[in-house]
Amino acid sequence: MAGVMVIFGFKRKTLLLTVWLGLFVVLMPKTPLYASVVKLVVVKPVAVVYERPDFDSPVIYQLPAKKQVYGTRKTIVGEAGLGLFHKIRLRKGVYGYILDTEVRSLGGTSQNSSAKDAKKKDLAPIKKSRKSKAAAKSKDGGSTKTSKSKEKTKPKEDSSGFQISQPQKTGPKNLGPFFFRKYVGLNLGMVKYSEKIVEGTKSSQEWMAGIKLTGTDWIFKNFLLDINVNVHVGAPQFFEDFSTDASGFLVQADLTMPFMLKPLNNGAIYGGLGPLVSASSYKFNYLGEQRDSQNVRLGAVVMLGVGYELGGFAFRLEPKYYWEKSRYFGVLAGIQKRL
């Protein structure tokens, strides 16, 4: 009888131990999946970052070639079922989505160590505060109470394994306050204009002035463009070399696609490339004969610019290289009002 009681007690203890182990496994908190985060490198000249995994969502940033960021190892299917995206970390607490065809995985999970260090750093003030409270209580015999103070909370983790230390904020106002806003304004500058006319190619420094539109949604949705239409009234100065009486005008229109080279505080250094249309109309006297000249030429323009926003106004300085039947340089300054 005693042997039966021993066996029964042993089985009961085994059953209780099994139940406790099962409850521990079920209720044990899950650790963040840092292995799901890898380092990605941009393989295209410019990579567009969307607010959501959707081609129709706002563009919140552009990454230059060879830029390295942390992103999800697995891709996410676009909201409309189109495209595969990686979720990437742009800066602390700010995330976006980038097409998998515009980046390449470098492998590794170095985000693991950096995230752990960040957690230790965020939790250090909490531990320090707790120690100071305990010391104060022991000093006063446990009778006094310290006032409640704001403490940093333990960082949360989202499903992708990224550390979120502040509410998610995306959009042009947070990431590209200068580069992605819409502006409208005026251009003024000097162009060493060159044109094939009469005998050979003539050139001279000429002033140009016109309108300048910059930003997204001017022609295509979520597509960043810089549109310039500049005019010179009167015949260029090179007519003085062979004509005593010349008049006319010159119109140039270019549409460039800007790309960011370096973001600045409230500004950016950027480049651009796009098509150019030049149209000119002149009346002049050549060797005692009255002549008319009308030309429309297609070409391209390459731009390098620097811009800065102050008080809702954008100030830009843009050297440009014009390539058509003749080639020449120009420098234009612009002032624009933010829309």
Side-chain angles (χ1 to χ4, degrees):
M1 186 69 178
V4 172
M5 292 298 293
V6 169
I7 294 172
F8 177 77
F10 177 78
K11 288 184 177 180
R12 185 178 178 184
K13 289 180 179 178
T14 305
L15 179 62
L16 289 173
L17 181 61
T18 304
V19 172
W20 278 110
L21 285 174
L23 288 173
F24 176 77
V25 171
V26 172
L27 299 176
M28 184 177 64
K30 297 181 180 179
T31 56
L33 300 177
Y34 289 108
S36 64
V37 179
V38 295
K39 186 175 283 188
L40 305 171
V41 61
V42 177
V43 296
K44 294 294 180 68
V46 178
V48 176
V49 182
Y50 296 93
E51 183 177 332
R52 304 188 314 278
D54 186 357
F55 292 109
D56 291 330
S57 69
V59 174
I60 60 174
Y61 210 64
Q62 285 186 333
L63 297 175
K66 299 183 180 179
K67 176 69 176 179
Q68 295 182 12
V69 293
Y70 286 108
T72 53
R73 183 186 298 275
K74 292 184 178 180
T75 54
I76 302 166
V77 179
E79 292 181 1
L82 300 174
L84 295 175
F85 297 83
H86 289 278
K87 184 177 182 180
I88 64 170
R89 181 183 188 273
L90 293 167
R91 60 180 174 83
K92 187 176 181 181
V94 181
Y95 304 90
Y97 295 85
I98 193 169
L99 276 172
D100 69 326
T101 56
E102 298 184 342
V103 291
R104 175 173 57 85
S105 173
L106 294 177
T109 57
S110 55
Q111 176 76 356
N112 188 1
S113 59
S114 63
K116 286 183 179 179
D117 293 340
K119 288 179 73 175
K120 289 180 181 178
K121 187 176 180 182
D122 286 339
L123 292 175
I126 300 175
K127 293 179 180 179
K128 187 176 180 182
S129 177
R130 287 175 180 171
K131 287 181 180 179
S132 62
K133 286 183 178 181
K137 284 184 179 180
S138 61
K139 185 177 180 181
D140 298 338
S143 58
T144 60
K145 294 183 179 180
T146 58
S147 60
K148 293 183 179 181
S149 59
K150 293 182 180 179
E151 297 179 354
K152 292 184 179 179
T153 58
K154 185 177 179 180
K156 298 179 181 179
E157 301 289 334
D158 71 357
S159 59
S160 66
F162 282 114
Q163 188 180 69
I164 302 178
S165 56
Q166 63 186 55
Q168 169 74 356
K169 294 180 180 179
T170 58
K173 291 185 179 179
N174 297 308
L175 297 175
F178 175 80
F179 201 64
F180 293 99
R181 287 178 178 169
K182 289 184 72 173
Y183 299 91
V184 58
L186 301 174
N187 260 335
L188 180 64
M190 295 294 294
V191 175
K192 189 172 177 59
Y193 179 68
S194 179
E195 184 175 346
K196 291 183 178 180
I197 194 167
V198 187
E199 299 174 357
T201 300
K202 310 292 183 179
S203 63
S204 60
Q205 291 279 0
E206 306 296 336
W207 63 265
M208 300 287 289
I211 61 172
K212 184 177 185 66
L213 309 175
T214 308
T216 57
D217 303 333
W218 285 113
I219 299 178
F220 307 107
K221 186 177 181 181
N222 293 329
F223 201 83
L224 185 63
L225 291 174
D226 184 60
I227 304 168
N228 300 272
V229 180
N230 297 312
V231 178
H232 174 79
V233 179
Q237 294 180 21
F238 56 70
F239 276 94
E240 297 177 0
D241 297 338
F242 56 87
S243 176
T244 56
D245 183 19
S247 62
F249 63 89
L250 165 68
V251 179
Q252 288 187 324
D254 64 80
L255 186 151
T256 59
M257 292 163 282
F259 51 88
M260 186 184 294
L261 297 175
K262 182 178 177 59
L264 304 173
N265 264 343
N266 298 322
I269 299 173
Y270 52 91
L273 174 68
L276 166 72
V277 178
S278 291
S280 59
S281 177
Y282 308 121
K283 291 183 179 181
F284 60 97
N285 187 292
Y286 181 67
L287 300 177
E289 181 182 349
Q290 195 70 22
R291 292 193 179 187
D292 290 342
S293 173
Q294 287 86 31
N295 282 302
V296 176
R297 302 172 301 281
L298 298 178
V301 62
V302 179
M303 170 186 68
L304 178 65
V306 59
Y308 183 79
E309 182 183 314
L310 180 63
F313 287 89
F315 302 90
R316 302 176 187 267
L317 184 65
E318 297 175 345
K320 292 187 175 184
Y321 180 67
Y322 300 89
W323 189 329
E324 41 164 298
K325 286 186 178 179
S326 55
R327 302 169 192 176
Y328 47 93
F329 289 94
V331 178
L332 292 125
I335 179 171
Q336 298 171 291
K337 179 73 173 68
R338 188 179 71 206
L339 297 180

